[in-house]
């Protein structure tokens, strides 16, 4: 994020990051949002009880028609599938264990790549956090690429390099070519056995790099590793507060479960690591990737993950490798980010279809295929379900609102339980307003991303 969208990292450094922010620090407006969301959801349960006879009569009426029965049984079937998938994910989550760091002598030579575009001073803080890592400096290579920025990013890269005694290999692209080409420069000029990529608006903890590369040492099947992304600017507004809880659930629950199968779907741009051999086996296809005849400019992280999975490697998640990254604070930038992610998800789900039902890896493939089928169901049903929800609302707004609010309450409560178990209850409560925010302000994004998937614009840059 740029300009007014972010705090200076000097104000929210690693040492200040904590999961212990309390609701007492909230403004009156934020208090009202958190409490109001819970009251609204609980009220929907009360209304379901009050209007139960009416809803039951409406249900019986619909069951009298063939179309009504098809819709109801279809919805029940989808609900049953999602409950089964959630139970499967929960089982995998409890199986997951992060890999502890190996000793210094076993750590591989690692190239850290930081592509930057119009990040200003943020890239300076990113580079300093990398240099402060608890990692043998004779095994650490840092490459910073200015992707044709029009601001002072190049100045801050060189300032960091000067303060670190020329430890960083710096490069400036003559023009903006996109993040993928910045990473490509790092891949082709780096000498490490492992490549580690970090976004230029993110900072890492001291043990992050060694925890990220250790899986490659203990598991020769490991081709890539996803880091644990947390929100750096979580005290900068309601959107970052909500994303703070959402990101924690997405990474520490969902990616933990996927990692138990060695089948993490996406190594995030904020922090990822790749085995050198795996990267170079697909590098040419990756840099020249096209979608519907157009050069692919988005989803470089998901594309690389897919191509490494296709080679038969495992992709893992390291819960003990933290990166703190800035998130949008405005709705405008948030929906643009989610739209880009949604289009990337559609593109790479289609790409994954090319190998998922082939003998693409040794060992059991059923769990991975179950995850893939769930991805396809989301893709296929997103637009029809969105339209169905709209028709449902027009036909019976009271029943629609009660139903979706109760559903949002149940899903939010799962996130609250998970977050509060690992951290604290006070911040976990932001899951409730986030569910309402997503339901009424963001639910259109994935259907929109599907119908506009050909558009490959970065949107937020």
């Amino acid at each position: 994020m740029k300009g007014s969208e972010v705090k200076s990292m000097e104000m929210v450094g690693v040492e200040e990051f904590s999961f212990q922010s309390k609701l007492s620090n909230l403004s009156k407006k934020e208090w009202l949002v958190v409490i109001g969301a819970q009251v609204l959801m609980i009220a929907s349960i009360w209304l379901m009880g009050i209007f139960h006879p009416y809803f039951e009569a409406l249900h019986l009426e619909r069951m009298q028609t063939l179309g009504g029965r098809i819709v109801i049984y279809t919805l029940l079937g989808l609900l049953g599938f999602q409950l089964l998938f959630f139970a499967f994910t929960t089982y995998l989550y409890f199986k997951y264990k992060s890999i502890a760091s190996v000793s210094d002598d076993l750590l591989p030579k690692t190239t850290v790549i930081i592509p930057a575009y119009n990040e200003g001073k943020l890239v300076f803080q990113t580079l300093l956090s990398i240099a402060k890592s608890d990692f043998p400096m004779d095994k650490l290579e840092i490459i910073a690429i200015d992707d044709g920025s029009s601001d002072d990013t190049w100045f801050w890269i060189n300032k960091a390099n000067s303060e670190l005694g020329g430890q960083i290999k710096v490069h400036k692209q003559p023009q903006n070519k996109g993040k993928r080409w910045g990473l490509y420069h790092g891949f082709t000029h780096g000498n490490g056995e492992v490549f580690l990529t970090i976004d230029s608006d993110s900072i890492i903890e001291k043990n992050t790099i060694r925890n990220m590369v250790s899986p490659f040492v203990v598991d020769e099947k490991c081709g890539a590793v996803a880091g644990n992304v947390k929100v750096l600017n979580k005290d900068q507004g309601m959107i970052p507060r909500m994303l703070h809880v959402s990101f924690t659930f997405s990474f520490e629950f969902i990616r933990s479960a996927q990692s138990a199968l060695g089948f993490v779907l996406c190594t995030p741009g904020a922090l990822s690591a790749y085995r050198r051999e795996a990267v170079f086996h697909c590098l040419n296809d990756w840099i020249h990737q096209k979608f519907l005849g157009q050069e692919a400019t988005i989803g470089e992280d998901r594309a690389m993950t897919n191509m490494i999975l296709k080679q038969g490697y495992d992709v893992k998640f390291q819960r003990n490798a933290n990166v703190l990254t800035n998130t949008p604070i405005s709705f405008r930038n948030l929906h643009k980010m989610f739209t880009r992610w949604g289009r990337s998800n559609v593109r790479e789900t289609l790409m994954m279809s090319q190998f998922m039902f082939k003998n693409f890896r040794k060992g059991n493939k059923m769990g991975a295929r179950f995850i893939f089928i769930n991805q396809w169901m989301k893709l296929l049903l997103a637009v029809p379900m969105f339209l169905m929800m709209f028709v449902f609302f027009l036909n019976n707004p009271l029943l629609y609102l009660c139903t979706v609010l109760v559903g949002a309450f149940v899903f939010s409560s799962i996130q609250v339980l998970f977050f509060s178990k690992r951290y604290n209850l006070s911040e976990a409560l932001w899951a409730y307003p986030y569910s309402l925010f997503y339901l009424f302000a963001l639910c259109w994004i994935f259907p929109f991303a599907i119908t506009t998937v050909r558009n490959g614009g970065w949107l937020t840059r």
Side-chain angles (χ1 to χ4, degrees):
M1 302 301 108
K2 311 296 182 293
S4 61
E5 282 292 293
V6 296
K7 281 185 179 179
S8 166
M9 288 185 181
E10 293 179 314
M11 299 174 62
V12 281
V14 175
E15 66 279 358
E16 297 178 43
F17 181 85
S18 170
F19 279 102
Q20 304 306 316
S21 296
K22 302 299 180 182
L23 285 181
S24 58
N25 297 329
L26 304 186
S27 67
K28 290 182 179 179
K29 180 180 179 181
E30 290 172 329
W31 265 104
L32 288 174
V33 169
V34 173
I35 295 175
Q38 296 171 67
V39 170
L40 183 61
M41 290 178 172
I42 293 172
S44 69
I45 299 175
W46 177 73
L47 287 174
M48 287 287 280
I50 294 294
F51 289 97
H52 175 72
Y54 167 69
F55 293 153
E56 185 176 18
L58 186 62
H59 170 73
L60 292 174
E61 179 182 333
R62 288 179 175 173
M63 288 295 287
Q64 300 303 314
T65 66
L66 177 61
R69 289 196 296 273
I70 292 175
V71 170
I72 290 173
Y73 288 140
T74 299
L75 292 176
L76 288 174
L78 293 174
L79 177 61
F81 178 87
Q82 288 303 312
L83 290 174
L84 178 62
F85 186 78
F86 178 73
F88 177 63
T89 302
T90 303
Y91 164 73
L92 292 176
Y93 165 75
F94 284 110
K95 283 188 61 178
Y96 168 80
K97 290 183 180 179
S98 55
I99 296 172
S101 171
V102 299
S103 60
D104 284 5
D105 60 314
L106 293 177
L107 289 170
K109 182 170 183 180
T110 300
T111 297
V112 182
I113 305 169
I114 310 95
Y117 176 67
N118 285 356
E119 291 292 2
K121 193 176 181 179
L122 298 184
V123 69
F124 176 78
Q125 302 293 339
T126 299
L127 292 168
L128 291 188
S129 75
I130 295 168
K132 292 177 182 177
S133 296
D134 177 19
F135 199 89
M137 297 312 295
D138 60 322
K139 293 186 175 182
L140 188 65
E141 178 184 43
I142 305 173
I143 301 178
I145 303 100
D146 181 348
D147 185 27
S149 297
S150 58
D151 67 352
D152 58 355
T153 295
W154 183 237
F155 166 81
W156 288 109
I157 288 176
N158 284 283
K159 181 175 175 60
N161 194 29
S162 176
E163 291 197 10
L164 297 173
Q167 181 182 344
I168 305 170
K169 293 182 179 180
V170 300
H171 173 72
K172 183 175 178 65
Q173 305 271 53
Q175 61 184 19
N176 177 236
K177 298 182 66 177
K179 183 179 179 181
R180 192 177 297 230
W181 281 97
L183 290 171
Y184 181 78
H185 176 87
F187 290 145
T188 54
H189 287 79
N191 300 309
E193 301 168 58
V194 173
F195 294 119
L196 192 142
T197 66
I198 301 175
D199 274 351
S200 51
D201 62 352
S202 306
I203 55 180
I204 59 173
E205 296 179 347
K206 287 188 176 182
N207 64 349
T208 292
I209 296 180
R210 64 188 306 127
N211 288 338
M212 282 291 289
V213 304
S214 292
F216 298 101
V217 178
V218 302
D219 185 1
E220 62 180 13
K221 296 191 304 179
C222 179
V225 175
N228 191 2
V229 181
K230 303 179 186 298
V231 176
L232 176 64
N233 59 331
K234 66 188 180 74
D235 293 325
Q236 204 178 347
M238 286 188 282
I239 288 178
R241 289 185 191 276
M242 291 186 290
L243 291 177
H244 171 49
V245 180
S246 176
F247 274 31
T248 300
F249 186 78
S250 174
F251 281 89
E252 299 193 17
F253 182 74
I254 295 175
R255 278 177 173 80
S256 290
Q258 294 173 351
S259 186
L261 295 171
F263 196 71
V264 174
L265 293 179
C266 182
T267 51
L271 178 65
S272 296
Y274 307 101
R275 188 180 293 275
R276 183 184 185 90
E277 292 84 357
V279 169
F280 276 91
H281 188 78
C282 64
L283 188 59
N284 187 62
D285 291 337
W286 177 77
I287 194 60
H288 296 296
Q289 185 185 26
K290 293 183 182 297
F291 182 79
L292 298 179
Q294 296 182 341
E295 180 182 353
T297 55
I298 62 173
E300 74 291 329
D301 47 5
R302 181 76 190 275
M304 179 63 77
T305 309
N306 255 354
M307 292 180 182
I308 290 176
L309 286 170
K310 185 179 181 181
Q311 295 175 48
Y313 284 107
D314 285 348
V315 177
K316 296 182 177 293
F317 166 68
Q318 277 288 73
R319 190 164 56 202
N320 57 3
N322 295 319
V323 61
L324 316 177
T325 193
N326 278 296
T327 59
I329 63 174
S330 69
F331 176 77
R332 178 175 178 270
N333 278 350
L334 180 67
H335 83 71
K336 286 183 176 181
M337 181 180 76
F338 280 174
T339 299
R340 188 177 74 249
W341 288 0
R343 288 169 178 159
S344 172
N345 186 21
V346 175
R347 293 179 177 204
E348 296 306 321
T349 298
L350 293 171
M351 183 270 189
M352 189 174 278
S353 303
Q354 299 174 13
F355 66 87
M356 273 306 301
F357 293 97
K358 296 179 181 179
N359 190 28
F360 71 100
R361 66 192 303 190
K362 295 180 180 178
N364 194 308
K365 294 174 275 291
M366 292 305 297
R369 287 169 178 163
F370 191 23
I371 292 175
F372 170 74
I373 290 170
N374 184 62
Q375 288 293 110
W376 251 109
M377 287 187 63
K378 290 179 181 179
L379 193 157
L380 292 174
L381 295 173
V383 174
M385 290 297 291
F386 181 77
L387 296 175
M388 185 182 297
M389 287 172 58
F390 186 70
V391 173
F392 186 11
F393 173 75
L394 292 178
N395 287 337
N396 200 311
L398 179 61
L399 179 58
Y400 169 80
L401 290 174
C402 287
T403 301
V404 297
L405 288 175
V406 170
F409 179 74
V410 172
F411 180 72
S412 301
S413 296
I414 293 172
Q415 291 191 331
V416 168
L417 179 64
F418 176 81
F419 191 97
S420 60
K421 185 74 173 178
R422 291 193 54 79
Y423 301 107
N424 64 63
L425 176 61
S426 59
E427 290 190 326
L429 296 177
W430 280 100
Y432 291 117
Y434 182 69
S435 285
L436 296 183
F437 181 57
Y438 189 90
L439 185 63
F440 295 109
L442 300 173
C443 68
W444 58 273
I445 291 179
F446 191 48
F448 175 74
I450 292 172
T451 56
T452 60
V453 67
R454 186 180 177 87
N455 186 335
W458 192 263
L459 300 178
T460 55
R461 285 184 178 266

